[in-house]
Amino acid sequence: MTSEDVSGLRDVAVVAFAQSDTLRTTEEQSEVEMLMPVLHDVLGQTGLRTADIGFTCSGSCDYLAGRAFSFTLALDGVGAWPPLSESHVETDGAWALYEAWTKLLTGDADTALVYSYGKSSPGSLRDVLTRQLDPYYVAPLWPDSVALAALQAQALIDAGETDEPALAGIAARSREIANPRAQLRGSVPHGDYVVRPLRTGDCPPIGDGAAAVILAAGDRARELCSRPAWIRGIDHRIEAHSLGVRDLTDSPSARLAAERAGAFERPLDTAELHAPFTAQEVVLRKALRLDDSVRINPSGGALAANPMMAAGLARIGEAAARIHRGESDRALAHATSGPCLQQNLVAVLEGDPR
Amino acid sequence: MPEVLKAPLVVEFPFTRSLGPVQSAFLTGLRERVVLGVKTGDGRTLVPPVEYDPVTAEEIRDLVHVGSTGTVTTWAWNPEPRRGQPLTAPFAWALVRLDGADTALLHALDAPGPDAVHTGMRVRIRWAEKRSGAITDIACFEPYDGDDAEVTVHAGEFQDPVIGIVAPARLDYTYSPGRAQSAYIHALSDRRTVGERCPSCRKVYVPPRGACPTCGVATAEQVEVGPRGTVTTYCIVNIKAKNLDIEVPYVYAHIALDGADLTLHGRIGGIPYGQVRMGLRVEPVWTEGGRYPDHYRPTGEPDADYDTYRELL
Ligand SMILES: [Zn+2]
């Protein structure tokens, strides 16, 4: 939905954000046990109880942990009685936030709880992700997530848009951060090739984690948060299905989503990009026209912590939290899903003038 | 905290998928060592071909026979092949634009090492010896230094066309049930049933899942329940389940163990199926080495009064 489409409708803001630590394994916790402290944290920030929330929407994927209908068990952590107005998406929670945002725009609810979580540790994530690919021509070859990202990285190198040292620089910058929730922080060896040209350092850490935000409309947002992060627009777009049809060095879907979310209307000061692999940041910077005046991923982004299904929602949450704290006035948040930036969501967030 | 329980969990699912006319022609063609592409409205040739134009969504059906030789458009060296991938020795993943095509096909490229691979290199298909009409009928690509192939129109008609594929998939997990369920399973190994009480509404959940679904808070206080309980409702099973060695008909029941605020389910034995009733008092029957009760049988006590379990139905 474009920024123009929503002008005249209600203003909706992110008023709170919480996330778990992202850990390589959380085998001592079930999914709901991992998620629940995050839900309590985000509700606690606003003083809201579950019964006060108008709409609840979550994002998760059963394939990660191999547990069918795990999202219904995760609802135990919300406290779903009396029955909630509730929905779920089988993808990153950023898309759950999109659904909740539209629900608030229609006036059906004034507040929404959005959460997502992923437990990648029980399975072999690189193999699990092959099951999202074209089942006729691609999935039978089991090309893993790193291999597909490496094809994209090589295409960028061939096009002269980056090189291995530049990618290593993105990796290092992404981990030189203070984010206490990150899985990788500080000096991380760039390592050997996993699938050439991508080395360990070019790849996101595999981890378990959860994130949650609360949305509120209009005056309700001002009551709940001293500086709401107003959502000026969100849009999401998808590339052609077949990798061989796409120009892997560009992301027309991300650019279109950004345009329709209003990202190009005024300068941004911050961008939280969901680029799990270093080379994908190169693609997104170009597609989203981000120059050096924009602070990229102060949180460290997905290279510092990439809990599947939560990392995209966390980008929106991190951008909003910077606005809450007065560290940003106008930020872009991006989420992706699928191989080689297949689907892209862009949100533009603003704080009231200070 | 007791040791974390873990167990292997294998998820296997053979998907049977039907093919559209273009996919059917393409995969049948591979079986016959013919590569087909499809023409879009603006004259581009897509390989692998799809049923609908990725830009206009227009239905596209005009097939062409493209080369089995082509050019690498991007590649990635895979030093450690994984299960299911086309080659077992290190290989390159490659997107290959076949001669006559405008788009690229993903597959493996067999090459001695990364130094032998570059974007723009010429390759050709190495056909699998046994072909069934699947993308794996292409064994892989291999380096090639000959001429481009001719491109010709093809009707896409073959004897005995492939109309579907079976795509097997297997994923291996290590399942761990988490804190609350681990404690429950540990207690079961001592033939004790231990639930957890909600600190807010005081309900005792059996088996515990770690959270009170009503209050949304963690449960922690452990409460031993049972071993006796009350049948709150039941059904009579008349259809024999696969791999289950129980004679039908039998009774499957919801059982509220004494002290529990949630029913669990179990089979009722030791009584003719027609005599099972709501309120029947039962107790667990363990078998040698069993990790959970095999079934529940009547205790002989008088039936429980309806009011004692009406909230647990
Ligand atoms: Zn409770």
Side-chain angles (χ1 to χ4, degrees):
Chain A
M1 209 174 290
T2 69
S3 52
E4 273 173 24
D5 292 338
V6 299
S7 67
L9 295 173
R10 324 163 82 194
D11 285 332
V12 174
V14 177
V15 296
F17 167 56
Q19 63 184 319
S20 69
D21 290 341
T22 303
L23 302 169
R24 182 61 190 93
T25 176
T26 52
E27 62 187 14
E28 72 288 354
Q29 293 176 324
S30 66
E31 284 160 317
V32 66
E33 288 165 349
M34 177 179 79
L35 171 67
M36 204 162 28
V38 178
L39 298 174
H40 293 172
D41 183 351
V42 81
L43 288 165
Q45 289 177 37
T46 56
L48 293 172
R49 294 163 306 133
T50 300
D52 304 324
I53 297 287
F55 182 59
T56 298
C57 198
S58 60
S60 67
C61 175
D62 287 356
Y63 276 74
L64 294 174
R67 298 198 63 186
F69 293 99
S70 68
F71 69 93
T72 59
L73 297 176
L75 263 180
D76 285 359
V78 177
W81 185 265
L84 301 173
S85 170
E86 185 267 339
S87 184
H88 175 261
V89 297
E90 193 82 1
T91 184
D92 191 285
W95 278 263
L97 183 143
Y98 180 87
E99 181 176 340
W101 177 66
T102 56
K103 187 90 170 172
L104 265 58
L105 287 180
T106 65
D108 273 0
D110 293 331
T111 52
L113 168 65
V114 180
Y115 63 89
S116 60
Y117 62 91
K119 230 170 167 336
S120 298
S121 61
S124 168
L125 183 62
R126 287 172 67 182
D127 303 315
V128 169
L129 291 178
T130 65
R131 299 302 93 192
Q132 71 183 331
L133 302 169
D134 168 356
Y136 303 99
Y137 301 160
V138 183
L141 307 175
W142 292 81
D144 61 278
S145 46
V146 181
L148 297 175
L151 289 167
Q152 185 171 35
Q154 184 63 44
L156 281 162
I157 291 170
D158 289 335
E161 300 209 22
T162 191
D163 54 28
E164 290 192 41
L167 296 181
I170 291 171
R173 191 215 67 227
S174 299
R175 287 146 189 166
E176 282 160 10
I177 43 150
N179 183 354
R181 299 296 197 180
Q183 189 175 351
L184 289 182
R185 254 195 322 274
S187 177
V188 176
H190 204 48
D192 293 331
Y193 287 122
V194 184
V195 180
R196 182 172 166 173
L198 295 180
R199 296 176 181 271
T200 336
D202 292 303
C203 303
I206 296 174
D208 301 350
V213 306
I214 289 177
L215 301 182
D219 289 341
R220 196 81 179 99
R222 292 184 187 89
E223 288 164 22
L224 294 170
C225 180
S226 58
R227 193 169 192 245
W230 300 106
I231 299 172
R232 294 307 183 206
I234 312 184
D235 197 63
H236 63 94
R237 299 280 150 173
I238 185 167
E239 304 283 333
H241 197 72
S242 171
L243 287 172
V245 168
R246 294 170 52 189
D247 172 2
L248 295 178
T249 68
D250 197 7
S251 181
S253 63
R255 183 181 299 112
L256 183 57
E259 188 184 323
R260 292 179 61 87
F264 303 137
E265 290 166 11
R266 279 190 300 287
L268 301 153
D269 57 49
T270 304
E272 279 285 340
L273 304 180
H274 186 194
F277 296 89
T278 49
Q280 293 173 345
E281 183 178 306
V282 178
V283 177
L284 290 170
R285 273 178 181 262
K286 180 172 73 171
L288 300 173
R289 301 179 201 156
L290 301 170
D291 60 25
D292 290 341
S293 69
V294 181
R295 175 116 191 247
I296 308 287
N297 285 353
S299 70
L303 287 162
N306 190 36
M308 297 302 295
M309 308 304 138
L313 179 62
R315 303 282 70 70
I316 300 173
E318 291 279 9
R322 287 184 74 77
I323 289 171
H324 298 161
R325 294 193 299 262
E327 294 164 5
S328 167
D329 294 323
R330 182 170 153 86
L332 177 150
H334 161 266
T336 196
S337 178
C340 303
L341 304 172
Q342 181 79 26
Q343 303 173 45
N344 295 284
L345 178 147
V346 173
V348 176
L349 306 172
E350 286 180 359
D352 287 326
R354 285 176 286 179
Chain B
M1 175 190 264
E3 109 190 76
V4 174
L5 294 176
K6 290 185 209 178
L9 170 68
V10 178
V11 178
E12 257 182 312
F13 40 96
F15 275 117
T16 303
R17 296 182 178 275
S18 54
L19 302 172
V22 173
Q23 291 170 316
S24 168
F26 175 70
L27 293 178
T28 308
L30 295 184
R31 190 187 68 197
E32 308 302 327
R33 297 195 291 186
V34 167
V35 185
L36 298 179
V38 68
K39 284 276 190 200
T40 64
D42 63 1
R44 295 193 311 148
T45 298
L46 307 183
V47 180
V50 291
E51 311 273 332
Y52 297 91
D53 187 309
V55 178
T56 64
E58 181 190 3
E59 188 173 289
I60 45 180
R61 294 290 180 268
D62 294 339
L63 299 172
V64 289
H65 181 179
V66 301
S68 53
T69 56
T71 304
V72 170
T73 65
T74 185
W75 62 283
W77 186 257
N78 183 20
E80 288 176 45
R82 304 170 76 79
R83 186 173 73 194
Q85 295 182 344
L87 298 171
T88 51
F91 67 90
W93 289 105
L95 280 166
V96 175
R97 190 168 55 230
L98 291 170
D99 296 333
D102 294 297
T103 62
L105 172 89
L106 178 72
H107 221 293
L109 166 59
D110 187 8
D115 295 341
V117 185
H118 61 270
T119 297
M121 78 182 280
R122 298 282 298 155
V123 296
R124 74 172 166 204
I125 290 173
R126 181 191 298 162
W127 294 102
E129 280 184 19
K130 284 188 182 156
R131 296 181 306 281
S132 61
I135 193 67
T136 45
D137 289 355
I138 297 175
C140 62
F141 285 94
E142 60 191 17
Y144 169 73
D145 56 9
D147 295 333
D148 287 17
E150 295 258 321
V151 177
T152 53
V153 173
H154 197 286
E157 286 169 7
F158 300 94
Q159 291 282 313
D160 191 19
V162 177
I163 55 167
I165 58 169
V166 177
R170 172 185 167 130
L171 296 168
D172 287 74
Y173 298 90
T174 301
Y175 179 70
S176 58
R179 183 202 58 79
Q181 293 184 76
S182 290
Y184 173 75
I185 294 167
H186 274 297
L188 273 184
S189 65
D190 297 334
R191 300 193 173 183
R192 294 184 307 123
T193 300
V194 176
E196 289 192 357
R197 189 190 305 279
C198 172
S200 176
C201 68
R202 311 297 296 163
K203 278 188 175 166
V204 174
Y205 290 96
V206 185
R209 299 200 299 240
C212 173
T214 303
C215 305
V217 298
T219 56
E221 183 195 339
Q222 301 204 332
V223 180
E224 183 164 348
V225 300
R228 293 183 168 188
T230 301
V231 171
T232 62
T233 185
Y234 64 94
C235 65
I236 299 169
V237 179
N238 285 291
I239 296 171
K240 206 167 164 63
K242 210 172 161 184
N243 306 325
L244 198 62
D245 192 22
I246 300 171
E247 284 308 311
V248 292
Y250 65 86
V251 172
Y252 204 68
H254 275 193
I255 300 159
L257 294 180
D258 295 346
D261 291 298
L262 191 73
T263 56
L264 44 70
H265 20 121
R267 183 169 62 89
I268 306 296
I271 177 173
Y273 68 87
Q275 292 175 24
V276 175
R277 57 207 179 263
M278 290 169 73
L280 181 70
R281 295 284 295 160
V282 293
E283 63 189 3
V285 177
W286 296 81
T287 49
E288 186 66 33
R291 301 216 45 178
Y292 49 87
D294 178 72
H295 65 276
Y296 291 78
R297 69 179 171 213
T299 62
E301 295 166 274
D303 285 2
D305 188 55
Y306 179 68
D307 284 338
T308 65
Y309 62 86
R310 62 182 297 168
E311 294 299 322
L312 301 175
L313 285 173

